[in-house]
Amino acid sequence: MTDLFDETANYVLDLASPQRMQILFKLLEKTSTPTALAKEIDATKQEVHRNFTRLEESGLIEKKTDGKYTLTTFGQTVCTQVPSLVFLTQNRTYFEEHNFGEIPHKFKMRCGQLAASQHVKGFSKIMEQWKNVYKNSDDYIYEILSEVPLDLIEPLIKKVKKGVKFDYVFSESAVVPKGRKTLLKKLGFDKLIDDGLIQRKMAKNVQTVLVMNEKEACIMFPTVDGEADISEMFYSEDPMFHEWCLDYFRYCWYGSDVFKESKLKE
């Protein structure tokens, strides 16, 4: 086992260079030569040749018959793991106060899909982005909720009345604002449920909050104490980010129970 750790450590050292990482991801896009890539990344030929040699000796890249280099299967697979490190490194301060909460290990292993995202902080900015997700929706809005800010209900219902499907998972312990029932009745919420435009389920406890439409998504992780936190979010229109959020929503949706209004308290 020690030998395996030593070998892995050597590969980590091979990756511990911004230029070698740059070379790998350039070769992930297309085959190239050291000379051509040196021009592309504005580096000296000698330095790039040296790093090509090291990556080739490590089995991460290989030379083709036409003289160009490409990633090996091993190199391609290594590149799929790097975004997870990028996401966690970029947001190290955030994860000093937050964690992944109840999210299953299989989703944590895919956290690299969240790398191409924007960290949004501050309640007013969060609400603005949340409303924009509603505004930009054409097909559906999916949510996993620990609480419902009252001023988000009306813009949401306006979109649903235009034919946008709304599915959501609500926490049994959700913070429900006073006046919610009255407002829902005024906006014709029950009729939208009867028409099939709204479907809802209930989870025992929601720590991770999610808001998404068919084009963009927001994810809000809990504090280290396990409390839902909607004062900070990660937002993106990136397809990989969206895929992660959609898969997580489906996982929660199919694992949730029937919605029971009686469990909620204002």
Side-chain angles (χ1 to χ4, degrees):
M1 183 64 73
T2 302
D3 291 341
L4 288 175
F5 286 142
D6 289 342
E7 186 177 356
T8 302
N10 288 333
Y11 283 120
V12 172
L13 286 174
D14 290 331
L15 297 173
S17 158
Q19 188 177 103
R20 287 195 288 276
M21 290 295 299
Q22 199 172 11
I23 290 170
L24 286 175
F25 278 91
K26 287 292 184 181
L27 292 179
L28 186 62
E29 297 173 4
K30 62 179 181 179
T31 60
S32 187
T33 63
T35 301
L37 227 162
K39 292 180 181 178
E40 195 172 339
I41 65 175
D42 194 24
T44 65
K45 294 180 182 179
Q46 294 83 353
E47 188 179 10
V48 171
H49 270 280
R50 185 166 60 251
N51 281 321
F52 262 75
T53 299
R54 181 162 181 173
L55 292 171
E56 186 176 20
E57 290 174 349
S58 298
L60 292 162
I61 67 174
E62 61 184 357
K63 193 174 185 179
K64 299 176 68 179
T65 54
D66 62 1
K68 293 183 178 181
Y69 284 82
T70 186
L71 294 180
T72 62
T73 300
F74 176 52
Q76 291 175 12
T77 307
V78 165
C79 284
T80 66
Q81 305 305 308
V82 171
S84 293
L85 293 174
V86 171
F87 175 68
L88 293 171
T89 301
Q90 286 177 335
N91 299 289
R92 185 172 57 184
T93 302
Y94 173 85
F95 283 107
E96 288 175 359
E97 299 178 352
H98 298 80
N99 59 30
F100 288 103
E102 76 279 37
I103 290 177
H105 184 64
K106 63 182 179 181
F107 285 99
K108 296 175 188 177
M109 291 179 66
R110 293 170 51 191
C111 71
Q113 289 184 253
L114 305 176
S117 62
Q118 174 188 357
H119 179 213
V120 182
K121 188 173 182 179
F123 190 75
S124 60
K125 291 181 179 179
I126 298 294
M127 291 300 104
E128 182 181 354
Q129 192 64 66
W130 203 323
K131 288 178 182 177
N132 281 336
V133 172
Y134 293 166
K135 181 181 177 182
N136 298 334
S137 63
D138 294 313
D139 298 328
Y140 66 78
I141 296 168
Y142 293 160
E143 292 185 331
I144 302 172
L145 301 169
S146 63
E147 61 180 285
V148 182
L150 197 61
D151 61 350
L152 287 175
I153 294 177
E154 194 162 354
L156 169 63
I157 299 304
K158 282 183 178 179
K159 291 300 293 191
V160 177
K161 285 183 175 179
K162 292 180 179 179
V164 173
K165 182 181 178 184
F166 176 43
D167 292 352
Y168 68 98
V169 178
F170 217 34
S171 174
E172 286 184 17
S173 58
V175 178
V176 180
K178 290 183 178 180
R180 168 182 166 272
K181 286 185 179 180
T182 302
L183 181 58
L184 291 180
K185 185 176 181 180
K186 175 184 174 183
L187 295 172
F189 190 80
D190 289 342
K191 185 178 185 305
L192 294 172
I193 293 177
D194 293 338
D195 292 343
L197 286 171
I198 296 177
Q199 295 186 77
R200 51 188 182 167
K201 287 194 173 186
M202 184 163 272
K204 192 72 176 176
N205 183 39
V206 169
Q207 295 180 348
T208 301
V209 177
L210 181 146
V211 185
M212 65 184 302
N213 61 29
E214 68 279 3
K215 301 181 286 287
E216 55 194 328
C218 309
I219 189 82
M220 290 160 261
F221 296 111
T223 64
V224 292
D225 296 325
E227 296 295 324
D229 179 15
I230 63 169
S231 67
E232 296 186 56
M233 70 161 57
F234 293 101
Y235 164 82
S236 184
E237 299 176 16
D238 177 72
M240 295 298 285
F241 184 99
H242 189 274
E243 179 184 73
W244 189 99
C245 292
L246 183 58
D247 287 348
Y248 181 64
F249 174 81
R250 287 170 173 165
Y251 167 83
C252 294
W253 178 260
Y254 292 114
S256 298
D257 297 324
V258 174
F259 186 92
K260 294 181 179 179
E261 183 72 33
S262 59
K263 291 188 176 182
L264 300 177
K265 296 179 181 179
E266 289 192 1

